[in-house]
Every structure is written in C-alpha cells, then in structure tokens.
Amino acid sequence: MRETWRWFGAHDKITLPEIAQTGAAGIVTALHDIPYGEVWPRDAIAAHRRQIEAAGFTWDVVESLPVHEVIKRGEGDLSGLFSAYRQSMANLAAEGIKTVCYNFMPLLDWTRTDLQAPVARGGTCLRFSAAKMAAFEIFMVGRADARQAYSPEAVEAADHWYQQSSDADREDLLAAIMSGLPGAFDRYDLAGLRAALEPYAGLTPTDLRANLKRFLQEIIPTAQELEMSFAIHPDDPPRDILGLPRIVSNQADLAWIMGAVDAPENGLTLCTGSLGANPANDIAQIAHQFGDRIHFAHLRNVRKEPDGSFEEAPHLDGDTDLVAVVDELLEAEARRDVSIPFRPDHGHDLLSDSDRATQPGYPLIGRMRGLAEMRGVIAALS
Ligand code: DNO
C-alpha cells in the first residue's frame, strides 16, 4: 500500500518539508482555488505537480475534482458542466495524475457537531452528536420534518441541549457543521443555509441516484480513454442530513453504484471512518466485496454510541477492525498487482497540534500517529 498525505496546497499550514518527515511518499491534493464547475487549466495542474515533485513526492490522487451542485440536482442543460469536467480530467491525465476522488453528497460534505471534543488522555477529536445535530436541524434551522429523522431520545436530548445552550454554544455548533461545506472556504450563516437548502427541496434518493448514474455515464467512458480511475467517497456520516438524501452510505448503495456503470474505472474510495459510523456496515466485508474496485483508501476509526452519535477514535482503538480491513486491501493489491494509495484520514489534535490551527481533522502530529500505526500494521501483515 502506498502511503500518502493530504496537503491543501498554499492554504495548508503544514508544509511539504514537514510532510516529508512523516515518511509519506505521495501527496493527495486538489486545486482548491478553482471554483466548482470551471476547468482546471493544464498549466496550473503542472505548476502544482512541480511544487510537489520538487519536495520529493509524487501527486498520487486528486481529492477532490468536485462535482457541481447543479449536476447533483440534475438541473437543466448540463452539457457545459460535463464537458468542463472532462476537460479537467484530460488536463490531469496529461500531467500523469490518474486517480480521482470525488463525492456525491448534496450541499454538505463531511459533517461534525464538535471539532474539539476532549479525549480521555489529552488531545481532542472530531465528534458527531446526534442530539446536537437534531437540535441544529429542529431548533436552529427550523426544518419542518427534522423530528422524524431522529430517535425520540435524540429529539428529547436535542431539546434539552438547546434550552441550556448559550449563544456562543449555538455559534460554535453552526461553525462546526459549516466546516464540512464543499468549496472548503465558503461558510453560511443560518439564513444563508436555509436559502442554500431551497433548491434541493423535493430531491429524492431516486432522483439523486439517477443524477449520479448520468454523471457516471458522462465521465467513465472518458476515464477509460484516459486510463483514469474514479473513486467515489462515501457519505460522512452515512445518513441523511438536513433532509438531503445520501446514497453512498452502505454496501447496497456501493453495489448499486458499481453496477450503474460496471467498469473498473468506476470505483470507490474505501473510507473506513465514513462507512464505519453506520453499525450495519462491516468494513472488512465491504473491502472484500469491492476489493477489485477500491482505488484509494482513507484509513481511520470511529467509536459509535447507541443514539447514532460517534467520535473519531485512535486508528487501532475504535469499533472497526482496521487490521482486518488492511488485510483485505493487501489481498486485493496482490490479486490486482497494484499498490493502493491510502492516507491516514483525520487524526486527533495531539501535543502541539492545537497551536497550529490546521484544517479540522488534519493535524500534523495526530495524523502522523495514525500513519505510523497503519505502517506498522501493513509491515506486520506483509
Ligand atoms: C473529509 C474528507 C472528505 C472528502 C470528500 C471527497 O475529511 O474525507 O471531505 O475529501 O468527501 O470528495
């Protein structure tokens, strides 16, 4: 397995020479400044690649080549957006960058309610509290159907949290939830979020599936011509949020997507943390079933709670057996004669991480711990 590290480019407080000290060999990155829907120019890709290579790395995976929200909603004439996407693919392939991670989550990307939840022996982690998310949806956004989306216990806890929360608590909650907005640097206030949700009213899982299938039909033939691998990222968390449907949450969803365009270029990012937050998902089994279509892996762990809350756990100490997952990935690699890039996805903020204000979930020391633990597992199993 090939060790990689996510680097956010010029916006990242962690430099390439620092990343080199983690031992990672490859970089996972994107051109974050280019607005969604616009072509990634070849010269900008080349400049980014040269910067990465000058620091002794290769650019192994694009994360993400974002899918425009209008494509996810399936609105109007999409031919311009599809051809722009294909042009970005061609420009990436011309620079030798051939593995692309993307997601199909409407509006929100990963969602957490706490960015700095304390962990037992010091440090902090990302956390999703079902009660706080319910409080956000029901009382802060005021979404009519939100009560039905949560268990009665979570709704009661939401009520309790909301009643005793201060203005600052509510602002922190909004800020945490907004951290996962695609575009990475856009944020909404509550009014902005309500307005942003409007165009999705009535979008059903069936609609979203049809729009994903259309996207795949538009781009996978080009990926085949360019010898590129596409790797859809699962929903995080794997459940509907804010009434927005999510269709990449479990084994059945993945089987449907792989079958929608049944080609090896239509593959998966095995994100053990995203899929691991759903108690119905057996991640090692998923790695086994889709081993031939996994082009990229995000390795991390979660600890789940009965009401649907979860917390990001140390890599070897959560509910998912990452040793079993890595074993499956090594088998898939041997069978396919490939090296699957993986990155330590997220990490706790440890030691001096809290002084650096890096992207939430992307600290230096916490991720280096995760990478080192995974490196040990891989070495032992190999
Ligand atoms: C969170 C990430 C996701 C991922 C996108 C891929 O930390 O794993 O934001 O990059 O969903 O498109």
Side-chain angles (χ1 to χ4, degrees):
M1 297 192 63
R2 185 161 171 85
E3 292 180 13
T4 67
W5 185 276
R6 190 175 195 181
W7 177 62
F8 292 97
H11 302 282
D12 205 321
K13 298 220 166 56
I14 300 168
T15 63
L16 290 169
E18 286 177 307
I19 298 170
Q21 294 184 41
T22 69
I27 290 293
V28 173
T29 188
L31 300 186
H32 289 283
D33 287 329
I34 299 186
Y36 287 17
E38 284 183 20
V39 173
W40 288 15
R42 181 163 174 191
D43 56 354
I45 297 168
H48 205 55
R49 177 180 61 70
R50 281 195 296 267
Q51 198 186 348
I52 290 165
E53 288 176 359
F57 297 99
T58 47
W59 179 356
D60 288 356
V61 180
V62 176
E63 180 175 349
S64 306
L65 184 56
V67 180
H68 200 279
E69 291 300 305
V70 169
I71 295 180
K72 294 179 192 167
R73 297 199 296 261
E75 264 168 25
D77 177 13
L78 299 177
S79 53
L81 281 173
F82 286 132
S83 67
Y85 201 94
R86 283 191 291 262
Q87 187 60 53
S88 297
M89 291 166 64
N91 293 348
L92 283 163
E95 291 298 322
I97 302 144
K98 301 235 174 170
T99 303
V100 175
C101 169
Y102 69 101
N103 76 74
F104 220 75
M105 290 176 254
L107 191 61
L108 292 165
D109 189 340
W110 61 275
T111 305
R112 297 290 183 274
T113 58
D114 297 90
L115 301 181
Q116 288 176 318
V119 295
R121 302 185 60 179
T124 63
C125 70
L126 302 180
R127 177 177 162 79
F128 178 87
S129 150
K132 284 171 86 170
M133 192 67 207
F136 182 76
E137 294 204 31
I138 298 167
F139 304 113
M140 290 173 63
V141 181
R143 196 170 72 75
D145 299 331
R147 281 174 189 273
Q148 281 80 61
Y150 292 89
S151 66
E153 296 74 27
V155 173
E156 204 187 313
D159 196 11
H160 178 75
W161 182 85
Y162 187 71
Q163 297 311 329
Q164 55 78 48
S165 62
S166 63
D167 286 348
D169 293 335
R170 293 174 194 177
E171 265 164 41
D172 284 351
L173 180 57
L174 174 69
I177 292 169
M178 288 302 102
S179 299
L181 275 180
F185 310 112
D186 288 346
R187 298 291 179 259
Y188 293 122
D189 59 12
L190 280 175
L193 178 61
R194 284 186 205 106
L197 285 167
E198 262 165 40
Y200 298 85
L203 184 79
T204 66
T206 310
D207 299 332
L208 190 60
R209 272 193 198 101
N211 299 341
L212 172 55
K213 182 164 183 168
R214 180 170 168 200
F215 170 74
L216 292 171
Q217 287 168 335
E218 291 278 349
I219 61 127
I220 295 298
T222 306
Q224 290 175 311
E225 280 163 31
L226 297 169
E227 298 180 341
M228 295 179 90
S229 300
F230 269 67
I232 194 166
H233 188 284
D235 304 325
D236 183 7
R239 56 161 294 154
D240 294 2
I241 289 282
L242 288 163
L244 301 165
R246 290 189 153 187
I247 56 166
V248 197
S249 291
N250 55 44
Q251 193 149 7
D253 288 345
L254 295 174
W256 184 88
I257 294 163
M258 297 302 109
V261 171
D262 195 6
E265 294 80 1
N266 173 28
L268 164 69
T269 298
L270 184 77
C271 179
T272 55
S274 303
L275 292 164
N278 179 345
N281 288 336
D282 176 341
I283 316 303
Q285 165 58 30
I286 288 177
H288 181 77
Q289 181 175 346
F290 301 104
D292 289 342
R293 304 281 279 270
I294 295 170
H295 300 310
F296 182 32
H298 287 178
L299 300 182
R300 68 179 166 86
N301 221 324
V302 290
R303 191 173 297 120
K304 302 183 285 289
E305 295 161 34
D307 69 349
S309 303
F310 62 87
E311 201 162 273
E312 297 198 4
H315 281 66
L316 295 178
D317 190 25
D319 294 342
T320 300
D321 181 352
L322 281 185
V323 178
V325 172
V326 168
D327 204 25
E328 291 292 348
L329 291 174
L330 290 172
E331 258 182 49
E333 278 192 327
R335 199 169 56 238
R336 290 158 58 190
D337 194 22
V338 295
S339 180
I340 299 173
F342 78 96
R343 62 178 183 83
D345 189 23
H346 301 183
H348 289 178
D349 276 27
L350 301 176
L351 302 167
S352 61
D353 280 335
S354 56
D355 303 337
R356 293 198 66 174
T358 47
Q359 301 272 337
Y362 290 90
L364 176 58
I365 297 169
R367 273 190 294 167
M368 188 163 73
R369 174 180 167 179
L371 175 61
E373 291 180 351
M374 290 298 102
R375 180 182 295 146
V377 168
I378 294 163
L381 289 172
S382 309

